[in-house]
Every structure is written in structure tokens, then in C-alpha cells.
Amino acid sequence: MYNQQHLISLVHELLKRKECEWIEFKHNNAKPGAIGEYISALSNSATLEGKTTAYMVWGIEDGSRNIVGTNFNPSTETIGNEELQNWLLRQLQPALNFCFHSIEINNKSLVILEIPAASQYPTKFQNEEFVRVGSYRKKLKEHPDKERRLWRTLERKNFEDMPAIERQSGEQVLELLDYTAYFNLTKTPIPDGHQSILNALINDNLIIKDDAGVIPPEINGT
């Protein structure tokens, strides 16, 4: 679980980005069906763009990207008697390990939705595949060029090339990896300090640092 400072830094990093198809900002619009369609669209678009994670952020004014706060609270939202997160999980195929985070910036409430990129198959919501086209979410089947490109990309994503674990902090990475054994096996001196160790592992392509500054391990089968 990320701490608040990490999530605040993530929001500021995402706000620096030009409009792209794997990030979506909202103020209060949080209709369950729309969220599900966005999860599908952003997940598939992240794969097309070579990203491991897509993001939705509530509490951001459209256009200006000013932080205005939101009244959306995913932990209290229900559909009938079912919690929003459980409902969304049931509607998505294949299963997707998305995650909501609630934070405060300048006494304003924000919500971040982390969405893993599609891996073996396009992500569907209620048996329909979606994709981002510019700033719009569209049915994938209406854009055959993107559909073909998505399938080609998915076919190239071999299991052995996929991250073992994603969205870990630097401290978590060093707890999970036996980096001492790695440096011993490669007969390389252990760098001085945690950041130097992380930099060395990044340079050796054992872990990658994504666009939002999160470091997921890329050691397969460990």
C-alpha cells in the first residue's frame, strides 16, 4: 500500500503529462457503468502505448487541470446492495487487479484509480471491449485498426517478459529481491545505499521505473 506522499507525487507527475490515452481526469462524474467502460478503455490503451498501468483521477477540473477536489468516495458507493469495487470486478473479463486510492491535496479530496494494462486478452466490461480514441472512450470493434494492433501487441507479450510484481515502492522492491545474491553471482560490488542499488538494478533491466515513478520488479519467476 502506498503512503500519502507517494500518491501525492503520483498525481503531480500525472498532471504534468500532455493529454494521452492512458490517463483520465474527472471532477465528480462517477457513474458505475462509465467507470467500468473507462477501466476497459484505459487498460487496453495502456497496452497499446506500452505502459504497465493506466490511471483515472477524480478531483481535477476538466480543461484547466486544477485540483478542485471531489465528493466521489469509492468505499461507500454501492450498486443495489453490492459494493462498487466488487460490482466492477464481476463485470470485467479477464479479472483485473485494479485499485482505488483516496488522498488529500491542499485539503481537497482526490481519488486515484490504478488500472493494470491488458495482458493476455483485451480487457472487457460487460462483455464489451473499449479503447481510448483521443480523449473519448469508444467500442474497440468500431476501430479495427486499434483492435488489430492491440491483438498483435498482446501476442508479443510473452509470459516470461511480463513483470512478476507491479506497482511497488523502492523500499518494497529491495525487501522482495535478494539483491545481495544477485551482485554476488555477477561478481559485482554491492552499491552503497538503497538508491544506488535500485539504479544498478534498473540499469541491468531487472526492474523498471514507469512514467509515474513507480518501480515494479521485472525479475521473472522469482
Side-chain angles (χ1 to χ4, degrees):
M1 197 69 178
Y2 301 139
N3 61 40
Q4 289 282 299
Q5 190 54 54
H6 175 87
L7 294 169
I8 290 169
S9 298
L10 171 61
V11 169
H12 286 303
E13 186 63 33
L14 294 176
L15 286 170
K16 294 177 186 176
R17 297 260 158 195
K18 294 181 179 179
E19 185 174 300
C20 59
E21 296 180 342
W22 52 279
I23 302 173
E24 176 68 18
F25 296 108
K26 293 289 184 188
H27 181 193
N28 282 319
N29 189 348
K31 295 179 181 178
I35 295 174
E37 291 181 7
Y38 269 116
I39 290 174
S40 170
L42 291 164
S43 175
N44 292 328
S45 294
T47 294
L48 284 170
E49 297 297 319
K51 307 298 179 183
T52 61
T53 311
Y55 299 91
M56 281 189 75
V57 183
W58 284 267
I60 307 298
E61 185 177 53
D62 189 32
S64 71
R65 293 197 179 185
N66 290 330
I67 297 173
V68 294
T70 184
N71 56 25
F72 173 48
N73 185 347
S75 66
T76 61
E77 292 288 326
T78 57
I79 296 88
N81 294 322
E82 189 172 10
E83 294 179 356
L84 172 64
Q85 186 156 340
N86 287 340
W87 182 82
L88 289 169
L89 283 168
R90 286 197 305 105
Q91 311 301 320
L92 293 165
Q93 304 91 31
L96 205 64
N97 188 28
F98 63 86
C99 186
F100 287 101
H101 304 282
S102 297
I103 63 168
E104 282 196 3
I105 299 178
N106 298 329
N107 296 317
K108 294 180 173 65
S109 298
L110 284 84
V111 172
I112 305 167
L113 173 56
E114 275 190 295
I115 305 164
S119 54
Q120 294 174 291
Y121 302 97
T123 300
K124 296 181 181 180
F125 173 71
Q126 295 182 335
N127 294 313
E128 187 73 67
E129 299 156 348
F130 293 85
V131 71
R132 286 289 290 276
V133 180
S135 60
Y136 299 96
R137 68 185 188 277
K138 299 287 186 179
K139 292 182 178 180
L140 181 62
K141 64 186 178 184
E142 296 174 353
H143 297 271
D145 56 331
K146 283 184 176 283
E147 186 174 24
R148 286 191 296 269
R149 190 155 58 89
L150 178 59
W151 275 109
R152 285 198 299 268
T153 303
L154 291 169
E155 287 167 359
R156 290 197 299 267
K157 290 182 74 172
N158 296 323
F159 175 79
E160 291 80 6
D161 296 329
M162 295 169 64
I165 304 175
E166 297 181 336
R167 301 183 300 281
Q168 303 292 297
S169 68
E171 290 76 12
Q172 290 169 318
V173 169
L174 295 181
E175 289 177 4
L176 289 165
L177 298 181
D178 188 355
Y179 58 86
T180 302
Y182 169 73
F183 288 114
N184 288 338
L185 286 169
T186 58
K187 298 180 180 179
T188 305
I190 298 176
D192 185 21
H194 284 181
Q195 190 57 55
S196 296
I197 293 170
L198 289 169
N199 290 339
L201 296 174
I202 290 170
N203 290 336
D204 288 350
N205 294 317
L206 295 178
I207 60 175
I208 60 172
K209 187 170 183 178
D210 73 10
D211 297 275
V214 183
I215 306 175
E218 283 279 6
I219 291 186
N220 303 299
T222 60

